[in-house]
Amino acid sequence: MNRQIHGRPYQVTEQGPLFTPCAPHSVLARLGDKWTILVMSHLAIAPGYRLRFSALKKGIEGITQRMLTRTLRNLERDGLVIRHYFPEVPPRVEYELSEMGASMLPALESFTSWIRNNWPQIEENRRIFNKAQPIDSE
Amino acid sequence: MNRQIHGRPYQVTEQGPLFTPCAPHSVLARLGDKWTILVMSHLAIAPGYRLRFSALKKGIEGITQRMLTRTLRNLERDGLVIRHYFPEVPPRVEYELSEMGASMLPALESFTSWIRNNWPQIEENRRIFNKAQPIDSE
DNA sequence: CAGGATCCCAACTGATACTG
DNA sequence: CAGTATCAGTTGGGATCCTG
């Protein structure tokens, strides 16, 4: 019998439910990488959900040209961001949240809202855990 | 001036908003790793949000003992999962979603719901993108 | 049964230099 | 300006073997 939770199908077997790796992970893995959420957030508050490359680079502290390019390529590849190239001299490139990218914002906000509310406790838990287990401290 | 989006504070400067890396990433990074969502999902549908180590291992296809242990330690460290150790022979260990862990489920579900709805389009976008740019295909 | 210790490889990330 | 190319360091993940 096939059921789903968290967008993840699982088989109900005699030994219990059996999960197999699937779609949601490959999206969460993208959002979980170092810069993606920062880029998404920055576009989310931009007029028209749109910014040029240099504006993103200036607005995100510590990101390198290479990592910004890679992050944007990944988002473009998934169709969350649209790349607008203007063949001028010097060149100008703007990045815009796609309709699908913008449609993710409410769900993302509800989730990050949970994180915001629970972050102090998580931080405290980590501190306590690290004190008890001085190995593997971050 | 300080504002927030997606749980992420940013400075409104004369050159525009400036984001700095912070809390939400370290939570999303955890959920984005290879096995965490699978473990959370499995506990979410278990009676009492509780399962023993061997049950988790059997239910998650392909996970190794080492990675299951590491994933559970990380969740325990954040306080999302509680470890119950029974000093029997042979030993028995059960893992249970904490109150905070369970409180995450609705938000997580709303987000994975978005993924579920949009996954077909994302998959299609990746396929098209890879055809246009045969390099860097996954 | 649950997990610790080791070794190894692949992927992510960063720094730097170069280019249309 | 907006990239690409290259190299190096670090981390994630898997395979295997060992133990209370």
Side-chain angles (χ1 to χ4, degrees):
Chain A
M1 184 176 177
N2 279 298
R3 304 191 185 185
Q4 284 208 349
I5 186 172
H6 300 146
R8 198 171 278 283
Y10 60 95
Q11 300 267 334
V12 177
T13 71
E14 292 161 7
Q15 287 80 29
L18 176 65
F19 282 91
T20 52
C22 72
H25 168 258
S26 71
V27 177
L28 282 165
R30 175 120 319 147
L31 293 170
D33 74 12
K34 190 164 179 181
W35 302 105
T36 297
I37 296 288
L38 280 167
V39 170
M40 291 283 292
S41 302
H42 211 268
L43 288 172
I45 60 167
Y49 292 149
R50 192 162 170 157
L51 285 172
R52 58 186 298 182
F53 185 89
S54 53
L56 283 165
K57 180 147 176 20
K58 278 192 306 184
I60 301 174
E61 191 174 281
I63 197 169
T64 62
Q65 215 167 32
R66 169 182 150 82
M67 289 314 296
L68 180 54
T69 300
R70 284 180 59 103
T71 303
L72 287 166
R73 282 298 163 280
N74 285 333
L75 288 170
E76 184 193 2
R77 172 178 139 113
D78 286 356
L80 297 170
V81 158
I82 301 169
R83 180 176 187 267
H84 300 276
Y85 175 71
F86 302 90
E88 310 166 354
V89 186
R92 173 167 57 102
V93 180
E94 294 179 356
Y95 291 91
E96 178 192 15
L97 282 185
S98 69
E99 193 176 338
M100 182 169 68
S103 79
M104 178 201 277
L105 296 178
L108 183 59
E109 178 60 32
S110 93
F111 188 67
T112 53
S113 166
W114 181 92
I115 298 178
R116 182 164 55 252
N117 292 333
N118 290 274
W119 175 244
Q121 189 181 339
I122 292 178
E123 207 168 18
E124 172 72 358
N125 288 334
R126 289 187 184 179
R127 205 183 53 73
I128 294 171
F129 191 89
N130 288 340
K131 189 186 293 183
Q133 311 281 340
I135 316 299
D136 251 49
S137 329
E138 185 189 3
Chain B
M1 183 175 177
N2 278 298
R3 304 191 185 186
Q4 284 208 349
I5 186 171
H6 301 145
R8 198 172 279 285
Y10 60 94
Q11 301 267 334
V12 177
T13 70
E14 291 160 9
Q15 288 77 32
L18 176 65
F19 281 91
T20 52
C22 73
H25 168 259
S26 72
V27 177
L28 282 165
R30 175 121 319 148
L31 293 169
D33 73 14
K34 189 164 179 182
W35 301 107
T36 297
I37 296 288
L38 280 167
V39 170
M40 292 283 293
S41 302
H42 211 267
L43 288 173
I45 61 168
Y49 292 148
R50 191 160 169 158
L51 285 172
R52 59 185 299 181
F53 185 89
S54 52
L56 282 165
K57 179 145 176 21
K58 276 193 306 184
I60 302 176
E61 193 174 281
I63 196 169
T64 63
Q65 217 167 32
R66 169 181 150 83
M67 288 316 295
L68 179 54
T69 300
R70 284 175 58 107
T71 303
L72 287 166
R73 281 298 162 283
N74 285 333
L75 287 171
E76 185 194 2
R77 173 178 140 113
D78 286 356
L80 297 170
V81 158
I82 301 169
R83 180 177 186 266
H84 301 277
Y85 174 72
F86 302 90
E88 309 166 353
V89 185
R92 175 167 56 101
V93 181
E94 294 179 356
Y95 290 92
E96 178 194 12
L97 281 186
S98 69
E99 193 176 340
M100 182 169 69
S103 79
M104 179 201 277
L105 296 179
L108 183 58
E109 177 61 32
S110 93
F111 187 67
T112 53
S113 165
W114 181 91
I115 297 178
R116 181 164 54 252
N117 292 333
N118 290 274
W119 175 243
Q121 189 181 340
I122 291 178
E123 208 167 17
E124 171 72 357
N125 288 333
R126 289 187 185 179
R127 204 183 54 72
I128 295 171
F129 191 89
N130 288 341
K131 188 186 290 182
Q133 310 281 337
I135 314 301
D136 250 47
S137 329
E138 186 186 5

